[in-house]
Amino acid sequence: MGQEQQDLFDKQPPPWELDDRREVCVAEVVFAEAPFGPYDYEVPGTLRAAVQPGVRVQVPLGRGNRRRVGYCTVVGSQAHVTRALKPILATVDSRSLLSPAMLRLTRWMADYYLCPLGQVLDAVVPAGVRGQAGTREQVFLHVAPGVTARLAELALPPKQRDALQILAGSSGGMTPADLAAAAHCTSGPIQTLRRKALVTEEVRRVQQIIPDTRTVDRVARLPLNPDQQAALEAILQPLRQRRHETIVIHGVTGSGKTEVYIQAIEEVIQYGRQAIVLVPEISLTPQTLQRFESRFARVAVLHSHLTGSERHWHWRRIATGEVQVVVGARSAVFAPTPNLGLIVIDEEHDASFKQDIVPRYHARDVARQRALAEQVPLVLGSATPALESWYAAQCGTYRLIEMPRRVSALPLPDVATVDLRTPHRGRHAPGAISQPLYQAVREALRDGGQVILLLNRRGYSTTIQCPACGHVVKCPHCDLALTHHRHEQTAVCHYCEYQIPPPPHCPECRFADIRYSGLGTQKLEVEVQARFPGVACLRMDSDSMSKPGSHETALSRFRSGEVRILLGTQMIAKGLDFPNVTLVGVINADTTLHFPDFRAAERTFQLVTQVAGRTGRGARGGRVLVQTYSPDHPAIMAAQRHDYRQFALQELPVRREFGYPPLVAMIRIVVRGPVETAVEQFAEQVVERLRATATARQVEPRILGPAAAPLPKLRGNFRFHVLLYHADQPALAGLVRAATEGLKPPADVLWTVDVDPLDML
Ligand code: ADP
Ligand code: ZN
């Protein structure tokens, strides 16, 4: 504990002041900002009861003894303190913010993700909870001791006597206003009682009540089909035996996974326990929530638009055990359920479960640690499991349950590819929609169906280039091509939001005919409107859906049938369940296929499979057309056949051959800064230390780099990265920890460590 602390102390006390026989209560304290600690502090006698692990404390820090707030993480007594410790000055929280189990989980996170514990704690406890948002101090009155017995002899005026009697009958005291109302008097008599000291005052922090206005119709449980029954049994077995098991439910879209989760949760609740359901942020739609709210009385929904007070309110309701089911995005994995019974992660392959700032945790792995510690089952559901989960199931670490059929025996939709390389395509259809897709859309509309078109690029034109000199209009901070947004009349950098008016001529050579090319959703929308005149169409991407509530409005317009064609980015690929969608068109399956990322094939397979699942959900059936320049690519062929198993069978050997996850563990270090040489030099220094440490420890990881990152410049910073691979995760993490211990970059250079990275750019 707290080795660095000595240096930070002003001076050691003279030796005669040190009494090594004195037993001292010592608390370990960590901070969310550098220096992170841990440091040891003495707990003064007056604070012994108040200072607990998980309580924030005010302490003096550094030479100037600046008052800082930190988290107390351990309290213990030490018999032989050989140096004087600074004292804790005060506590911030009246009760611990984290249970002992959650504290252990945060330690695991700090350890596994190689980041300071204080930063983990700050991420786990929402800001609204730390700031006690939506609470205020409130005075409560109690009858002073002994007063009730003397009531008769006091001979009080009637109002004061009545008020005292009412107060005596209350449990827990009353606020002055409530008391005045109950006694039908003004504040005068109550003030008098206070002045005469016949009542005592107590200040308590009370939470503003956030009324739950939603009323949802109750829906009865559905009788399960045999696949669902088997999946349910697989979850109930470990649940009843109170043991952990990670269960991968590989179920095609529409196989009824959600109904299985719900019935498993019904049993969890019968035991008086709680369940956590994690869904991708984008799936936190009213449609999803309604399915849970129509089955459970007390559901807490944690999404990113909550205010601090709402979040605090939910947190308290969850912590008291009042909430039965917590449904939320990534961070809901930290919900303080007192008696957890089950964790479910739906669409577990979704990249939004990984946080891209410190702590860079993956909710799936944190959930597994939590489920292990609390001995509860963890369910990972997906039509396209992450290869990490699939591989763990192949190895027997996780249990695999398959749900290969859709409910009600609806067939999976037919998927066909449209080869964009076909030479005649250019003659017949100059735009984004090929002739076969055009025909298919027309037929679908003619038959009264609805259409979904996926294009994973927003904006109008994706490149602005001068045909005369070749100059591409780029972001000066990121060195990436700007995208033309026609509605907003801007050319925008999609990484840093830098924007300029669209240049009318080449900024380099002044050539007048600068060319806007490449296809984004805005341009697709224009093409759809031109080719299907009079058909209501709607674009969904992060530009058109930036206002809160716009997502729901758009979906309800589509559900009502008012909108016939829905087009958009991957936002429309997930979770939507509209039986009338009879056609899905993928405008260009190659957008994700050629990324400099070893998961590019997996991402493409997932995206095509997910969007294909949006059709064929009703009696009318459905079909999918995938436009691609790579119809023979294994990922696209497997998606065409809805064959996850085939995809995994081809992809895992590739990962093995090239030494990529999930076959080995991986850590990525990114170094960035405004001066390219300084960044590169520091990255080289990091690699030297890694190599030296590896030799000393006799660990032999594969170390690649330093090399310029695929996005070599971002927001004005040059970026280099180092990639480390090794079969043994703890050995690899230990190596990075040891090699970077005390590592100080030069001014203006920053470095980050990403364990199990998903972002390779
Ligand atoms: P998934 O989560 O696997 O995509 P869902 O749970 O959304 O599948 O189920 C697809 C549709 O089938 C939903 O409309 C759901 O209400 C319905 N459904 C699920 N289970 C049953 C069942 N046992 N009997 C009848 N309908 C069901
Ligand atoms: Zn930029």
Side-chain angles (χ1 to χ4, degrees), residues 368-433:
R368 181 166 154 81
Q369 281 309 310
R370 189 166 176 191
L372 271 165
E374 306 197 26
Q375 285 298 303
V376 301
L378 166 66
V379 176
L380 307 176
S382 176
T384 54
L387 277 179
E388 281 75 9
S389 305
W390 180 261
Y391 181 65
Q394 297 295 305
C395 296
T397 319
Y398 299 173
R399 176 166 180 198
L400 178 67
I401 299 292
E402 304 233 41
M403 297 175 61
R405 281 166 289 268
R406 282 188 154 181
V407 173
S408 321
L410 285 171
L412 284 166
D414 263 340
V415 182
T417 52
V418 177
D419 189 347
L420 291 180
R421 297 169 306 184
T422 333
H424 60 73
R425 175 198 154 248
R427 287 208 307 277
H428 294 293
I433 300 171

Side-chain angles (χ1 to χ4, degrees), residues 621-638:
R623 60 191 286 224
V624 182
L625 281 183
V626 178
Q627 303 191 134
T628 172
Y629 289 95
S630 325
D632 305 326
H633 192 285
I636 295 200
M637 287 171 67

Side-chain angles (χ1 to χ4, degrees), residues 475-480 482 493-498 714-715:
C475 171
H477 311 294
C478 304
D479 203 33
L480 293 164
L482 297 184
C493 170
H494 279 182
Y495 285 88
C496 74
E497 303 300 318
Y498 166 86
L714 212 53
R715 298 180 188 93

Side-chain angles (χ1 to χ4, degrees), residues 215-272:
T215 49
V216 182
D217 290 339
R218 281 320 183 75
V219 175
R221 65 195 306 180
L222 300 164
L224 299 183
N225 68 29
D227 285 346
Q228 288 176 311
Q229 194 59 45
L232 179 63
E233 284 305 319
I235 303 171
L236 295 184
Q237 236 176 48
L239 180 73
R240 288 173 181 156
Q241 295 165 356
R242 290 187 162 258
R243 63 180 172 86
H244 167 76
E245 185 158 49
T246 299
I247 299 153
V248 177
I249 299 190
H250 170 222
V252 298
T253 49
S255 56
K257 297 185 287 295
T258 309
E259 185 62 31
V260 173
Y261 309 151
I262 287 175
Q263 298 203 10
I265 296 169
E266 284 173 349
E267 180 143 343
V268 167
I269 285 168
Q270 279 174 22
Y271 302 144

Side-chain angles (χ1 to χ4, degrees), residues 95 126-138 204-211 306-316:
R95 56 190 148 194
V129 175
R130 295 196 303 268
Q132 301 200 309
T135 65
R136 60 196 162 82
E137 307 242 289
Q138 169 77 57
R204 283 210 305 257
R205 194 166 263 285
V206 292
Q207 187 143 26
Q208 143 202 359
I209 310 245
I210 297 177
L306 291 181
T307 64
S309 5
E310 287 169 332
R311 209 166 269 280
H312 186 205
W313 160 248
H314 284 307
W315 179 272
R316 291 246 54 87

Side-chain angles (χ1 to χ4, degrees), residues 56-106:
R56 282 172 306 161
V57 291
Q58 292 194 347
V59 292
L61 183 73
R63 290 185 200 287
N65 279 334
R66 230 162 14 99
R67 224 174 224 255
R68 285 262 310 264
V69 172
Y71 291 87
C72 166
T73 51
V74 182
V75 183
S77 58
Q78 243 164 279
H80 299 285
V81 178
T82 51
R83 62 200 159 88
L85 295 173
K86 293 187 191 180
I88 288 181
L89 304 173
T91 52
V92 177
D93 308 300
S94 53
R95 56 190 148 194
S96 178
L97 298 171
L98 295 138
S99 66
M102 289 304 284
L103 271 170
R104 281 194 294 276
L105 187 70
T106 56

